Amino acid sequence: MHPTAAVLRPLSHRVLTGSGVRYARNLDPSSRRILTGVGSRKLKPNHMQTRGILSLKDHVYFSKAEASGAGRNGIVKSFGDAPLELKMSMPKSTGGKGDGQNPEQLFAMGYSSCFLGALQLAAARANKKELAENAKVTAKVFLGHPENPDLDGFGLRVEINVEGCSDDAIIAQAHEFCPYSRALKHGAEVTVTKS
């Protein structure tokens, strides 16, 4: 198996936040303020953040899934302790039949579950376990066209809503700790191979 080359576009004109990519030209020049999902922070003039990649020193678990058939209208299988097989289908709003699951649904399910676990852990670490015991987390995953005209195809936007826990510090800690949030905020190491 040999890695294939990936083409990366420079991030020189983009500002990265915990809630995704925002273009510097779209920021309000008078305030230079970016909302990060939990609060806002002030930017210094002409201040741009570069994005690194979060690397793992080890792994304690891995999941394997395989897609076959007609891509987003094919079959996806996961392997492991509780194998799962799903029929995939493009949503009706994108011209599909909508008679199966789609990747955005699965991503939203995984993200909401993971964020809830991170929220409960953050509350327990702060000796406020009761604050998150009855919490619910909703993840909305939006599929749409990127604003950047150089990017073809689709992109994602995510909104997380926490219900039943109003402690901003605990929610912020959960957002920092959740692996899904980290992958979107810091980047994840991705290797593409062929066999």
Side-chain angles (χ1 to χ4, degrees), residues 71-73 76 86-96 98 100-113 138-145 153-160 180 184:
R72 291 179 64 108
N73 291 302
V76 66
L86 297 172
K87 177 184 183 297
M88 304 300 283
S89 176
M90 291 281 283
K92 288 183 180 180
S93 63
T94 61
Q101 283 67 47
N102 62 68
E104 292 72 38
Q105 287 176 307
L106 303 180
F107 190 89
M109 292 170 73
Y111 201 160
S112 60
S113 170
T138 303
K140 294 181 181 178
V141 176
F142 298 85
L143 178 71
H145 297 96
F154 295 108
L156 296 179
R157 179 170 59 87
V158 179
E159 292 178 4
I160 298 290
Y180 278 74
L184 294 180

Side-chain angles (χ1 to χ4, degrees), residues 18-42:
S19 58
V21 178
R22 297 289 182 259
Y23 290 91
R25 67 179 179 268
N26 293 339
L27 297 175
D28 178 4
S30 62
S31 70
R32 302 297 287 177
R33 187 171 292 278
I34 296 179
L35 297 178
T36 62
V38 176
S40 63
R41 58 186 172 77
K42 195 86 165 172

Side-chain angles (χ1 to χ4, degrees), residues 168-179:
D168 289 343
I170 298 233
I171 294 170
Q173 288 170 14
H175 187 45
E176 286 298 317
F177 186 75
C178 174

Side-chain angles (χ1 to χ4, degrees), residues 16 48 119:
L16 299 169
M48 297 293 167
L119 184 75

Side-chain angles (χ1 to χ4, degrees), residues 3-4 6 8 53-55 183 187-193:
T4 58
L8 300 175
I53 297 293
L54 185 141
S55 299
E189 193 172 359
V190 177
T191 304
V192 178
T193 60

Side-chain angles (χ1 to χ4, degrees), residues 27-69:
L27 297 175
D28 178 4
S30 62
S31 70
R32 302 297 287 177
R33 187 171 292 278
I34 296 179
L35 297 178
T36 62
V38 176
S40 63
R41 58 186 172 77
K42 195 86 165 172
L43 289 180
K44 296 174 185 173
N46 299 322
H47 176 74
M48 297 293 167
Q49 296 179 3
T50 57
R51 183 175 185 154
I53 297 293
L54 185 141
S55 299
L56 303 181
K57 66 178 180 179
D58 61 13
H59 72 270
V60 296
Y61 174 76
F62 84 95
S63 177
K64 178 182 174 183
E66 176 185 273
S68 61

